């Protein structure tokens, strides 16, 4: 039954959808949370206090109109609530699943700050859009009146997909180029199914295709097609290529068999989930089954690796992180899930060598240095430093390096030396995500550095608005010249 009033946080506790038991979920790649029944979602939405200044909305990168859709949801007006949430987001059900809400909307919820436990905004958002898909409320993508202009988008991750949808609505021909054989970027091949089931991503892509967006897959720009060719072919180009250059621990033994990169490992696992033939996995090189796995790193990628290894049936899984739990970049929630699933954490521990027989035999152990937190650096973060005489050895036959990503060298890859980049290799943009090249825009991780899906979507939304302005100006200039 619909709630008639809000402010239910006074008498109703915070609740998230029930999680499957760790022992059960550690054997499959299905999402770990079960779906809410409607009364539970409505009851949780009604906990919102309808703040005059909604800090949840301020701290949502998309500035989603959270209090209003919570009110509509609490009143049982689910279709209207969904429409409102979809007005500012191209994929609310994906954000509801994988945004680190504790650092964004929910972390800033006023009732969280008052000690009552945040409104479970992400779970309500997921419920609304999953319900919309089930009940047929997600409208097809309708292209605007044909503009006669086309946009080439490089990269089919959340940034590229968001820009594609918004620009298609403006009537442009949209061509998305991606080097993978499936669209979705890290939604498809990075993030594991236990956080985001692949069918959820694929139905979004199918909707874009049905709306006339053309996907050119297995097409690497700079190799299969030139960047200059795309600039000549399209009226505007958006670079949304993400960041893929893996950082390495830089310790001896990194080239031993059994030492692998996080994304190679996760891509192989995700491909197996699609039923693909994956030689690297089938040979055992990228498969944790029966192995003693050590993952190096403390971010979300490391958490995805440890939890994937558990599901593949690893003999043991240990995560090494050079700072402590409180200073870990990964989501607190993901660490807790990993612990529930049996992952061991070695805090304040950094690898100093990957050991094995001879100079190039397979890895058999990780030599580990115990660390402590020293003085803070310029950013205020305390730097880890070695603790004297505290090295130890961990047996390992699969070591996964998950230390983050930097930008690839795009000016070289694209043969575009005039494409300005920052000292980190990310693309330098002026206001409105314009690059140094006329008609070329950029958004997502390739601008911001490794970040979040919701930020990629936000930047793509802003970049699409700027591209629309650029194309409209170009069209009116063309019309004037023709007159
Ligand atoms: P991407 O998603 O990286 O997409 C870029 C696309 O460009 C890729 O498909 C790539 O194949 C393509 N491409 C690159 N170069 C070329 C080229 N030359 N030619 C053609 N195509 C090219 N964020 C969250 O919010 N929540 C999470 O839980 C989360 N978990 C993560 C887990 C992992 C393992 C990783 C690695 C990241 C995670 N992130 C998470 C971060 C998030 O996935 C990224 O911030 C987001 O996907 C960036 O979107 P994007 O569109 O900029 O780039
Ligand atoms: Fe919260 Fe992310 Fe949804 Fe914004 S998009 S409301 S930050 S879950
Ligand atoms: Fe509701 Fe929390 Fe947002 Fe306030 S901050 S409007 S209580 S969700």
């Amino acid at each position: 039954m619909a709630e008639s009033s809000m402010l239910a946080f006074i008498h109703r506790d915070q609740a998230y959808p029930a999680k499957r038991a760790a022992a059960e979920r550690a054997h499959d790649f299905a999402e770990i949370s079960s779906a809410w029944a409607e009364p539970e979602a409505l009851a949780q939405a009604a906990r919102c206090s309808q703040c005059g200044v909604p800090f949840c909305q301020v701290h949502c990168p998309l500035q989603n109109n959270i209090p209003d859709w919570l009110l509509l949801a609490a009143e049982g007006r689910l279709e209207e609530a969904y429409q409102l949430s979809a007005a500012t987001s191209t994929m609310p059900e994906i954000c509801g699943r994988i945004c680190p809400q504790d650092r964004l909307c929910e972390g800033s919820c006023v009732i969280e700050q008052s000690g009552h436990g945040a409104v479970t905004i992400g779970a309500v958002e997921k419920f609304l859009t999953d319900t919309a898909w089930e009940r047929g409320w997600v409208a097809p993508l309708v292209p605007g009146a044909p503009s006669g202009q086309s946009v080439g988008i490089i990269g089919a991750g959340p940034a590229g997909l968001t820009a594609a949808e918004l620009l298609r609505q403006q009537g442009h021909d949209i061509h998305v180029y991606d080097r993978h054989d499936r669209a979705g970027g890290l939604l498809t091949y990075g993030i594991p199914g236990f956080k985001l089931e692949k069918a959820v991503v694929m139905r979004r892509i199918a909707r874009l295709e049905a709306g006339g967006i053309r996907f050119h897959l297995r097409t690497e720009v700079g190799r299969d097609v030139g960047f200059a060719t795309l600039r000549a072919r399209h009226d505007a180009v958006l670079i949304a290529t993400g960041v893929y250059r893996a950082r390495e621990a830089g310790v001896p033994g990194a080239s031993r068999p059994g030492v692998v990169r996080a994304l190679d490992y996760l891509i192989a696992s995700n491909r197996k989930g699609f039923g693909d033939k994956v030689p690297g996995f089938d040979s055992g090189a990228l498969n944790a089954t029966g192995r003693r796995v050590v993952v190096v790193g403390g971010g979300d990628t490391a958490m995805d690796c440890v939890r994937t290894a558990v599901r593949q049936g690893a003999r043991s899984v240990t995560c090494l992180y050079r700072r402590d739990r409180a200073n870990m970049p990964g989501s607190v929630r993901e660490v807790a899930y990993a612990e529930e699933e049996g992952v061991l954490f070695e805090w304040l521990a950094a690898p100093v060598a990957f050991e094995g027989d001879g100079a190039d035999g397979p890895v058999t152990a990780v030599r580990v240095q115990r660390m402590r937190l020293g003085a803070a650096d310029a950013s205020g973060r305390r730097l880890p430093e070695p603790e004297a005489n505290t090295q130890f050895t961990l047996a390992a036959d699969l070591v996964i390096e998950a230390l983050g990503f930097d930008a690839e060298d795009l000016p070289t890859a694209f043969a575009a030396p005039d494409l300005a980049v920052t000292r980190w290799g990310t693309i330098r943009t002026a206001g409105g995500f314009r690059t140094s090249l006329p008609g070329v825009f950029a958004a997502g991780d390739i601008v911001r550095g490794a970040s979040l899906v919701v930020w990629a979507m936000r930047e793509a939304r802003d970049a699409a608005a700027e591209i629309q302005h650029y194309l409209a100006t170009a069209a009116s200039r063309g019309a004037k010249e023709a007159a």
Side-chain angles (χ1 to χ4, degrees), residues 210-440:
I213 291 170
R214 292 271 317 276
F215 286 92
H216 305 264
L217 301 174
R218 297 187 185 85
T219 305
E220 180 165 337
V221 176
R223 191 192 66 183
D224 304 313
V225 59
F227 178 64
T229 307
L230 293 195
R231 288 187 72 197
R233 189 182 288 169
H234 300 293
D235 298 283
V237 170
L238 176 71
I239 304 175
T241 49
V243 289
Y244 284 90
R245 194 153 55 80
R247 290 188 199 139
E248 290 170 0
V251 303
S255 58
R256 290 183 184 282
V259 180
V260 302
R261 291 179 176 172
L263 213 48
D264 293 341
Y265 174 70
L266 292 174
I267 290 174
S269 175
N270 278 313
R271 281 194 181 286
K272 281 315 273 186
F274 279 108
D276 294 355
K277 209 168 159 35
V278 186
F281 184 92
D282 299 336
S283 71
L286 296 169
N287 180 356
T289 306
R291 299 167 87 179
R292 294 162 302 180
V293 179
V294 173
V295 176
V296 184
D300 287 334
T301 304
M303 292 311 99
D304 288 350
C305 289
V306 292
R307 298 178 69 204
T308 295
V310 167
R311 283 158 177 76
Q312 289 176 346
R315 198 164 125 200
S316 65
V317 185
T318 306
C319 179
L320 291 188
Y321 180 54
R322 63 195 183 131
R323 291 187 166 91
D324 59 4
R325 179 192 284 264
N327 286 286
M328 203 167 175
S331 146
V332 175
R333 194 171 58 183
E334 300 293 323
V335 176
Y337 293 162
E339 284 181 322
E340 285 170 14
E341 291 165 10
V343 175
L344 297 172
F345 283 84
E346 286 286 355
W347 307 109
L348 293 163
V352 286
F354 301 136
E355 297 177 341
D357 285 341
D360 50 13
V363 69
T364 55
V366 181
R367 186 93 192 128
V368 183
Q369 169 70 60
R370 194 55 81 193
M371 311 294 281
R372 63 167 178 232
L373 292 180
D377 65 10
S379 72
R381 206 160 173 228
R382 290 176 70 192
L383 287 171
E385 56 189 33
E387 184 98 64
N389 305 319
T390 55
Q391 290 197 0
F392 61 100
T393 301
L394 271 180
D397 29 30
L398 180 64
V399 174
I400 304 172
E401 291 194 270
L403 294 154
F405 304 93
D406 290 314
E408 292 163 293
D409 179 0
L410 281 195
T412 303
F414 286 1
D418 295 340
L419 179 65
V421 294
T422 66
R423 67 191 166 102
W424 299 280
T426 48
I427 295 181
R428 190 182 290 282
T429 53
F433 299 94
R434 288 168 184 256
T435 70
S436 55
L437 303 176
V440 178

